[in-house]
Structures are given as structure tokens and as C-alpha cells.
Amino acid sequence: MAPSPPRSTGQKALEKPASVDAQRAEPLLMEVAWEVCNQVGGIYTVLRSKVPSMRARWRNRYCLVGPYNPQTAEVEFMPAPLTGPVGQAVQRLREMGYGAHYGRWLVSGRPHVVLLDVGSVSATLNDIKYRVWADHAIPASDETNVNDAVAFGEMCRALLSILAQQESGRPVVAHFHEWQGGMAIPMLRKEGWPGSLVFTTHATLVGRYLATGNPSFYDQLPSFDGDQAARNFNIDAQHQIEKAAAHASHVFTTVSDVTAEECTH
């Protein structure tokens, strides 16, 4: 006699929740700084020297983001096909009219890198600056370094928003350095970006100014009004960007105990 077929229990097979795959997916790490592939300060050396260890730990899940500077890119940057999650996000940026480049930073470890051309959003810069003022109380400024930081922040916001949409099944961590690279943090936090935001300052702006020629600076920290000092030194917009990045990040770090005390005040 042939065996009878198994009886149906009327129950569907249990499906694995989507969240299980999301928890198991290995995260992406995007490290953002104005000095990526752009040798204008000491943070360039910090980033360049850490690349080999970051690549060893994160492999191809690690990518840096910086500004597009044609002079430095000519010798430090090698374009790559727009493949993989970040390459596809760069393709989307290009379709939106943003100048974006994807490739390898030609330093030890050859990490993936995205370079953003801040000039490509110049036509809408005033609108971006108004939104930054309305949403985050950051005053408008015509200084080039502030305009560049705001434009760079908007482009980083767009890049990371696209990446999070594409990679909804895996965590994304975005690590930003200094106020020039941190404008995207409050923008992303306001829109409910699902990833994790880390901000690192290497020294506060106001602290740099106040400490110059003042050997008693750290003894006097409790008595300083940072906002008023920023206005006195005409760096209010830069200072407010730095504060907004520090407060909107999920994790705020600095490079020493001394600077941490400065940041607390």
C-alpha cells in the first residue's frame, strides 16, 4: 500500500522576520571629513594614517567622503565603476544633478572614497542656507568656508539618505570630523535618518581663539561664554555648526581629556 500523503495542518510555514536579516547584515561605515583626499590640515594625516587598520577591520564596508578638489584629486584619486551600494548612491546623486565622484584614495590601503563637488549646488545654496537657519538656527554667512561647509553638508545628507534607502536591511554608521564636515549631522537627525551619527572634534573653534596667548585658558574655562566669544571673534556661524553637530550626534567624541573638558564647557 502506498503511503498516504501527509495531512495539512492548515498552518503556513513560519517566515523569518525581516529584522533578523537586518540584525545579521554587516554594517557600512562612512567616514566624512573636509580633509579626505584634500591636504589642508592635520586631520589629513590622521585619516591617512588610520586607513590601513580601518581597511583591515571593515574591508570593503568602509568608505570615506570628502570634497572634490581637482588639483589634489588628479594625483590622489583613481575613479572606479559605479558599482556596489556606495557607487549606486553616487549614480543617484549624479542623476539629481550633483557633482559626485567615486573611486579609490591612492594612499596605503586604497580605501573607497566619494568626493563631492560643492560648486554643483551653488544655484540652490541660498535655499540650503535658509533651511539651515530655519531648522537649526545657524546664521547665514557669506564666508567661503561656511558656504562650503553648508553645501558639503547638504550633499552628504543626500548621499547618506540615498544609501540608507538602498541598504534598508543593514546598519549604516556615519562618522564626521570637525565642523567643516559635520553640517549633515543635524540635517540627518531632523529627517529621522535611520543610521548612527558620530561626531569627532579635534579642538573647539572658540577654544582655538581663546587659548591663543592665554596660558591660563583652561583654568578660566568655567567663566567663558562660548556663544558670546564666537560673536566677538566673528565665527558665530562656524561655532553654531559645531554645536549643532555635537548635540545632534548619537555619539560625540574628542581626541584627549583636555579637549573633552573644553567641549563640556
Side-chain angles (χ1 to χ4, degrees):
M1 174 185 287
S4 58
R7 291 182 297 172
S8 171
T9 63
Q11 297 178 343
K12 294 183 178 179
L14 293 176
E15 296 182 358
K16 181 174 60 176
S19 60
V20 173
D21 286 333
Q23 291 169 1
R24 291 178 178 173
E26 293 185 301
L28 297 174
L29 173 58
M30 308 293 289
E31 187 156 19
V32 183
W34 190 253
E35 289 82 357
V36 170
C37 208
N38 186 37
Q39 190 169 3
V40 294
I43 298 174
Y44 173 92
T45 303
V46 172
L47 295 170
R48 179 171 178 164
S49 64
K50 69 182 284 191
V51 163
S53 61
M54 296 301 291
R55 285 275 290 147
R57 183 180 181 89
W58 290 81
R59 301 186 184 279
N60 286 331
R61 295 179 292 110
Y62 175 62
C63 180
L64 296 111
V65 182
Y68 177 68
N69 180 330
Q71 287 73 38
T72 57
E74 186 175 356
V75 295
E76 293 198 40
F77 174 74
M78 180 176 66
L82 300 181
T83 57
V86 180
Q88 292 169 17
V90 168
Q91 178 62 47
R92 290 270 304 278
L93 279 183
R94 290 183 177 182
E95 292 167 357
M96 295 165 58
Y98 291 169
H101 306 264
Y102 177 64
R104 298 274 188 176
W105 188 5
L106 300 179
V107 296
S108 180
R110 300 290 179 96
H112 285 108
V113 65
V114 175
L115 301 180
L116 303 172
D117 184 355
V118 297
S120 65
V121 297
S122 58
T124 59
L125 182 59
N126 285 336
D127 293 335
I128 299 168
K129 289 164 69 174
Y130 172 76
R131 194 166 76 244
V132 164
W133 173 78
D135 291 346
H136 310 292
I138 293 170
S141 169
D142 287 329
E143 293 187 46
T144 299
N145 63 352
V146 176
N147 286 340
D148 286 348
V150 170
F152 185 59
E154 169 60 18
M155 297 187 76
C156 288
R157 181 206 63 78
L159 172 68
L160 290 165
S161 295
I162 292 168
L163 191 59
Q165 291 169 8
Q166 290 180 174
E167 299 297 303
S168 58
R170 72 193 307 180
V172 180
V173 180
H175 181 191
F176 300 80
H177 292 265
E178 290 290 285
W179 72 271
Q180 299 100 318
M183 185 65 246
I185 297 176
M187 294 175 165
L188 290 164
R189 194 65 182 266
K190 179 174 175 57
E191 69 179 33
W193 189 69
S196 299
L197 299 166
V198 181
F199 179 55
T200 296
T201 186
H202 297 249
T204 67
L205 274 167
V206 171
R208 287 189 178 104
Y209 281 82
L210 288 173
T212 302
N214 184 356
S216 302
F217 167 63
Y218 285 102
D219 294 331
Q220 300 169 0
L221 269 178
S223 65
F224 288 124
D225 181 332
D227 290 342
Q228 184 58 52
R231 290 189 287 270
N232 293 343
F233 290 119
N234 198 30
I235 55 168
D236 192 30
Q238 297 94 319
H239 174 63
Q240 295 302 331
I241 291 173
E242 184 178 68
K243 281 182 66 176
H247 285 279
S249 60
H250 296 105
V251 177
F252 175 34
T253 78
T254 188
V255 296
S256 70
D257 291 339
V258 171
T259 310
E261 183 182 358
E262 186 180 326
C263 292
T264 298
H265 289 287

